[in-house]
Amino acid sequence: MSMAPITSFDLILFISVVLLAVLGATAIVTLGRAVQAARHDRRSEAVRPSVRYEIIERMSASDPGWEQWVNDLDPFERFVAKEELQGYLRQVRGKDRETLQRLGDTLGIDTWAECMFKRGDRFDQLAALTWIALLDIDVTLETLRATCMAHPDTRAAAARVLYEQDHPAATTEGTDGLLAEKRPLSMLGLDTLYQLNKEDPRFLLSRAEQASDSWPDSLLVQVLRVIGEAGPTSPDVSLDWLGSLFADDSPLVRAAVADALAGYGWHDHARTVIEIENVRRDSSPRVRQAVYRMLGSWGDQPARDALRDAIRTESDPRSAVVAIEALSEPTSRLGDAELSTASQTALAWVEATSPNTEAEAAG
């Protein structure tokens, strides 16, 4: 007895039934997880006010009694306590921080973090490094090097640990780790680079001078932003390489270096390595605007003279507005006859939108 061959229709029907079954099962699982997550969120939010109140009240007590309190928490309260603790540890310092760190130990976070850091995957390690930084858990520089250098996210987290724990080699090791892969930094990486170098960007300037030729423009712009936001470096540090960046092909880089040098009008190298007449005539309006802001920040007579010259020749109205605002003097002194057409338009806009400018300047 022979079996009839399966027709194309039968095969399509069979495949359709299987696919519908798989999709149905997936939908049921997804819905179940969504319902479970929603229930977890509702229960967590229900206990959050009381957990938050207890943490704040106990934090200010001479004996917080963390152990007894933690022993009485149910799983949802423990979960919320960890969330709240992480938020508070990001904000407080001194004695309050030490008190909250003891709560972290009582919750067993330190043991969990040490285990996940050594044995977990990359995402477990990132979570562990966050707690290592917040709880000041001891971890050696050698361990961080051996464990965290394989991925930019873990390198950024390791650099943050070095910064938060005030490690003696935090600036050098953290900066080198962040810049090791020559790719744009994450928000955590960028903020950490700033925190590591904000007091004195000398080391960052040195590294950038050595390696910036091999960096993508996006990373170079980020580093220049950090240099500009950080405190000024010492007068004996050369800024020659920064001046050379005004010849870079990218207007984003040229604008970024002008912004970075805005706080360096006092620095001899900034004055000698920049051809102001050249940079203020840059072909990009974005760059010219950054240069005008730089000159306005410098504020000395040569800078003000350069701004006056720029106002006489500027062809872009928006850039002219920036130059006029950077010069920061009564508009009546500018003289319409000496202004370019774009600057006359800009001046009219400045006067219309700032009716009290001259009175404030006279006062």
Side-chain angles (χ1 to χ4, degrees):
M1 178 178 175
S2 62
M3 298 182 62
I6 298 177
T7 66
S8 297
F9 176 78
D10 293 334
L11 181 59
I12 293 173
L13 181 60
F14 174 76
I15 294 173
S16 298
V17 170
V18 171
L19 286 175
L20 286 173
V22 171
L23 290 173
T26 302
I28 292 173
V29 171
T30 302
L31 180 61
R33 288 178 176 175
V35 171
Q36 185 180 20
R39 185 183 296 116
H40 182 277
D41 290 344
R42 285 196 301 271
R43 294 186 65 178
S44 297
E45 291 307 311
V47 302
R48 190 175 300 277
S50 60
V51 170
R52 183 179 295 158
Y53 173 81
E54 288 290 341
I55 291 176
I56 294 175
E57 286 295 305
R58 291 172 182 274
M59 184 172 63
S60 58
S62 57
D63 180 11
W66 293 131
E67 186 171 350
Q68 179 180 354
W69 180 62
V70 167
N71 287 338
D72 292 335
L73 297 178
D74 65 28
F76 289 97
E77 291 170 328
R78 281 176 171 265
F79 175 82
V80 172
K82 292 176 182 179
E83 283 192 336
E84 293 293 315
L85 176 62
Q86 187 170 111
Y88 289 135
L89 284 172
R90 295 181 189 278
Q91 302 174 39
V92 301
R93 292 291 183 268
K95 183 179 178 181
D96 287 342
R97 184 180 179 88
E98 294 174 1
T99 301
L100 290 174
Q101 286 172 339
R102 291 198 296 273
L103 171 59
D105 296 343
T106 306
L107 285 165
I109 299 173
D110 55 340
T111 302
W112 174 89
E114 290 173 350
C115 178
M116 289 299 101
F117 177 63
K118 295 176 182 176
R119 302 172 187 170
D121 60 19
R122 174 162 57 91
F123 300 102
D124 290 332
Q125 285 184 334
L126 286 172
L129 284 164
T130 298
W131 282 113
I132 287 172
L134 293 174
L135 296 178
D136 286 338
I137 298 172
D138 288 336
V139 58
T140 66
L141 180 57
E142 291 71 22
T143 301
L144 290 173
R145 286 173 177 165
T147 309
C148 303
M149 294 299 105
H151 194 278
D153 290 344
T154 50
R155 287 201 301 272
R160 195 69 179 201
V161 168
L162 294 173
Y163 164 73
E164 293 288 350
Q165 297 188 354
D166 198 23
H167 192 282
T171 297
T172 56
E173 291 287 337
T175 298
D176 280 342
L178 289 166
L179 301 177
E181 200 165 313
K182 301 177 183 179
R183 58 184 290 176
L185 301 173
S186 64
M187 290 300 296
L188 173 64
L190 183 60
D191 181 69
T192 302
L193 186 68
Y194 167 73
Q195 298 297 339
L196 289 169
N197 294 277
K198 64 183 179 181
E199 299 297 332
D200 183 356
R202 184 182 321 186
F203 183 79
L204 180 59
L205 281 163
S206 173
R207 280 292 179 268
E209 183 175 10
Q210 296 169 8
S212 60
D213 287 345
S214 64
W215 291 348
D217 290 345
S218 52
L219 176 58
L220 179 54
V221 168
Q222 286 182 322
V223 170
L224 289 170
R225 186 182 307 165
V226 170
I227 290 171
E229 293 293 331
T233 190
S234 60
D236 59 339
V237 173
S238 172
L239 301 178
D240 290 7
W241 75 276
L242 282 172
S244 69
L245 291 178
F246 280 109
D248 194 274
D249 291 337
S250 170
L252 294 177
V253 171
R254 301 198 302 273
V257 72
D259 288 335
L261 287 171
Y264 282 90
W266 54 271
H267 200 291
D268 290 341
H269 282 114
R271 299 294 184 159
T272 58
V273 303
I274 300 175
E275 293 289 342
I276 292 180
E277 280 302 304
N278 289 337
V279 299
R280 78 168 184 83
R281 297 176 184 274
D282 193 283
S283 60
S284 168
R286 177 197 292 266
V287 178
R288 295 200 300 275
Q289 291 168 28
V291 170
Y292 299 157
R293 290 192 296 268
M294 177 190 75
L295 294 173
S297 178
W298 289 5
D300 62 356
Q301 195 59 48
R304 297 177 69 80
D305 289 343
L307 284 170
R308 291 191 184 93
D309 291 340
I311 294 170
R312 296 187 185 101
T313 60
E314 180 56 62
S315 59
D316 175 62
R318 175 55 189 156
S319 300
V321 169
V322 175
I324 291 170
E325 292 177 342
L327 185 57
S328 186
E329 67 179 33
T331 55
S332 59
R333 298 180 185 175
L334 298 180
D336 290 357
E338 299 181 359
L339 303 183
S340 66
T341 302
S343 292
Q344 290 179 17
T345 302
L347 180 61
W349 186 88
V350 171
E351 290 176 333
T353 56
S354 305
N356 298 321
T357 300
E358 294 190 27
E360 292 174 356

